Amino acid sequence: MTDVSVRFAPSPTGRLHVGNARAALLNWLFARKHGGSFLLRLDDTDAARSTSEFAQGIEADLRWLGLGWDRFARQSERFDFYTAATGKLKQSGRLYPCYETPEELELRRKIQLSRKRPPVYDRAALKLTDADRAKLEAEGRRPHWRFRLDHGVTAWDDLIHGRVEIDMASLSDPVLVRSDGYPLYTLSSVVDDGDLGITHVIRGEDHVTNTAAQIQLFAALDYAVPVFGHFSWLLDAEGAGLSKRIGSLSLADLREQGYEPMALNSLLARLGSADPVEPQLDVQALVAGFDLGRFSRAPARLDPHELDLLNARILHASDFNTVRDRLPAGATEAFWLAIRGNIGRLVEAADWWPVVSGEIATVIEDPAVVAAAAETLPAEPWDGATWKAWTQAISARTGAKGKALFHPLRLALTGRDKGPEMAPLLPLIGRDRVAKRLSGV
RNA sequence: GACCCCAUCGUCUAGAGGCCUAGGACGUCACCCUUUCACGGUGAAGACACGGGUUCGAAUCCCGUUGGGGUCGCCA
């Protein structure tokens, strides 16, 4: 039994979005669950679209999520491996040169489609003679190279889908090398997975047909064929295709909006599975209950509202130490404990900080209650019991109770009609501020 | 258009012929707590897409319909 080795292989042509995060997380959890290693591989063979800024951004996104990697590779440094692989395939006759232009291929596909035929490559290039090829090359055409698939059925036991069988005759022979010599995903991915000893490929459902072709490629290159698992796609709240709203939201956006990474992780690790979504404060805590086999084959909807709720619950349970760096300067643990149960995003803490430490606009709703409050204001020191004693005194003097008592007080002291429990908040505000606010200044 | 996947409460799902008067989680609603709101606690309502079969018996098996998703690139 070889050690489990998985990878997350984004291409640095943009920042990570929610869909990517799920792929990364699922692989990471699988690795941790099985004591294996997690490889971050940058699929940056497309030099025109890949940038180092995006590459750094992706690494930052993963670190934000708390998903560290054990191994790192970038495809742009591995061209020699791809060249060696194409040499091997040419030798065994599995790779053949084709001379159609992209426009010609596009036209053929349209014709096939209009005839209600599947748009599969007809292997015309296989019938080319040496003389034909020489003539085409003389015209200045450079070949692209296709992998000759073995027709028949290719099958595998998928971690999520179970037994999958693909009729290879319904697939086009995949292009492995572009006419400019660059290797394409199908090739580089297989070479790297094989060479780097990836044992389990866990990726989105959009890759299932790729997988059939890649299995043949693994075999043709004498690599061990990894185990595959294809998770279903995420849909937005309306059930429409994913990559529209939150699915295409970048992690950088979510971070900027003040979401907790563990809210996202908690949701993504369980959504679409048979297990309940529960707020967890640490990625490690997600490992124990993780089981790919409990994921459904049906696409799941991701409701942004659910993320909000989870975010709030995470915050309500978060210790001061985990958030102190992102709290307003000077914020104390007592302050955090007083307000954490009342916020949905951490940024809201900044709204409460002036309430206990600075100036706010007060609202005098009931002058009689406020006046009584000012008159009965106890001397410091204050503690958690001060509020109750004080409000009892105010109630005794004015006859106000319940909402009629608390609403005006809350408004006068905090400027708002809802918020954290007043008992712990009062000592934090302090007598001077309270007196000032009660005077309506 | 062809092929593949999917179809249970609002949402994520359990269910692999009788254990299902269909279970859980989130949300919703109600109540409790707090002499306010929120937080928290307890409880309730809430679903087998439709039509045919097979069977003593179907949410579970088969066929069809409808609906959703995916793939069919010199993208990844």
Side-chain angles (χ1 to χ4, degrees):
Chain A
M1 176 81 190
T2 52
D3 288 339
V4 165
S5 181
V6 298
R7 43 73 161 185
F8 172 58
S11 53
T13 54
R15 291 294 288 267
L16 258 30
H17 58 250
V18 171
N20 294 326
R22 186 156 90 130
L25 179 64
L26 264 28
N27 274 286
W28 189 92
L29 289 171
F30 190 86
R32 290 294 168 270
K33 176 83 177 182
H34 299 282
S37 77
F38 177 68
L39 164 74
L40 170 60
R41 188 183 79 209
L42 262 18
D43 284 7
D44 57 354
T45 51
D46 187 342
R49 297 194 301 147
S50 303
T51 72
S52 59
E53 285 73 28
F54 284 135
Q56 285 164 15
I58 286 169
E59 292 184 31
D61 291 338
L62 287 175
R63 274 192 289 265
W64 179 64
L65 288 172
L67 308 180
W69 47 96
D70 309 301
R71 294 197 291 164
F72 177 85
R74 47 168 41 111
Q75 293 194 321
S76 56
E77 293 168 355
R78 300 178 52 79
F79 281 112
D80 290 349
F81 290 93
Y82 313 138
T83 306
T86 54
K88 186 169 183 172
L89 291 169
K90 283 175 189 172
Q91 245 178 5
S92 61
R94 293 298 292 274
L95 204 58
Y96 62 97
C98 303
Y99 294 86
E100 298 88 350
T101 64
E103 294 72 28
E104 287 168 350
L105 291 171
E106 180 61 29
L107 184 63
R108 278 196 211 187
R109 276 193 291 270
K110 277 183 181 156
I111 292 170
Q112 285 169 312
L113 241 22
S114 71
R115 286 184 189 158
K116 304 188 178 183
R117 305 292 305 165
V120 175
Y121 180 61
D122 61 6
R123 292 184 160 177
L126 232 30
K127 301 182 186 74
L128 258 27
T129 63
D130 286 345
D132 292 334
R133 280 191 281 270
K135 187 170 175 244
L136 287 161
E137 303 245 0
E139 288 172 9
R141 293 210 190 197
R142 307 296 307 153
H144 57 280
W145 299 77
R146 288 186 190 263
F147 177 59
R148 187 173 47 74
L149 258 17
D150 272 337
H151 284 179
V153 171
T154 294
W156 72 94
D157 293 306
D158 194 280
L159 256 20
I160 293 169
H161 284 254
R163 188 76 178 168
V164 179
E165 298 186 346
I166 303 282
D167 173 14
M168 301 308 278
S170 68
L171 269 46
S172 295
D173 288 337
V175 175
L176 261 32
V177 182
R178 299 199 305 208
S179 53
D180 63 5
Y182 272 84
L184 254 11
Y185 171 80
T186 307
L187 175 69
S188 56
S189 180
V190 167
V191 169
D192 288 338
D193 288 342
D195 184 63
L196 296 170
I198 298 301
T199 59
H200 299 257
V201 174
I202 298 160
R203 62 200 340 185
E205 206 176 42
D206 48 329
H207 283 285
V208 288
T209 45
N210 276 335
T211 293
Q214 291 190 345
I215 283 174
Q216 290 200 359
L217 194 49
F218 275 107
L221 258 13
D222 295 318
Y223 287 126
V225 178
V227 174
F228 292 90
H230 296 88
F231 50 83
S232 69
W233 225 220
L234 253 25
L235 308 179
D236 67 23
E238 283 72 45
L242 164 93
S243 303
K244 305 226 165 77
R245 308 192 154 184
I246 193 161
S248 63
L249 256 188
S250 75
L251 265 32
D253 289 337
L254 290 173
R255 180 180 189 170
E256 197 170 321
Q257 287 174 28
Y259 283 101
E260 301 304 304
M262 279 314 299
L264 225 213
N265 283 334
S266 297
L267 182 59
L268 260 22
R270 297 290 186 268
L271 184 65
S273 84
D275 298 309
V277 174
E278 287 168 339
Q280 297 290 356
L281 298 179
D282 189 270
V283 251
Q284 207 60 44
L286 255 10
V287 176
F290 179 72
D291 183 355
L292 253 201
R294 289 178 62 79
F295 278 72
S296 166
R297 287 188 281 269
R301 299 176 192 213
L302 192 155
D303 187 347
H305 183 52
E306 199 166 353
L307 182 60
D308 287 330
L309 293 160
L310 214 40
N311 199 73
R313 292 217 280 159
I314 296 267
L315 251 17
H316 299 167
S318 290
D319 290 334
F320 179 57
N321 283 334
T322 64
V323 298
R324 66 188 309 167
D325 295 344
R326 294 145 66 212
L327 254 19
T332 61
E333 178 163 19
F335 166 73
W336 172 245
L337 294 179
I339 64 147
R340 69 173 183 183
N342 242 265
I343 59 176
R345 306 258 185 102
L346 191 68
V347 288
E348 292 166 33
D351 299 335
W352 288 104
W353 184 236
V355 171
V356 304
S357 71
E359 303 290 319
I360 56 159
T362 57
V363 179
I364 304 300
E365 181 188 53
D366 183 338
V369 168
V370 171
E375 287 158 21
T376 55
L377 191 60
E380 288 187 304
W382 287 356
D383 60 23
T386 306
W387 173 254
K388 188 165 189 182
W390 183 34
T391 53
Q392 279 171 345
I394 301 168
S395 182
R397 182 170 295 214
T398 61
K401 58 182 180 180
K403 191 169 184 176
L405 172 65
F406 289 98
H407 204 252
L409 287 175
R410 178 178 283 285
L411 275 171
L413 298 181
T414 70
R416 304 181 203 200
D417 63 354
K418 59 178 63 172
E421 237 185 296
M422 288 304 296
L425 211 53
L426 187 67
L428 295 173
I429 299 174
R431 195 175 194 281
D432 290 347
R433 283 192 193 82
V434 169
K436 200 171 166 192
R437 288 173 194 175
L438 289 175
S439 69
V441 180

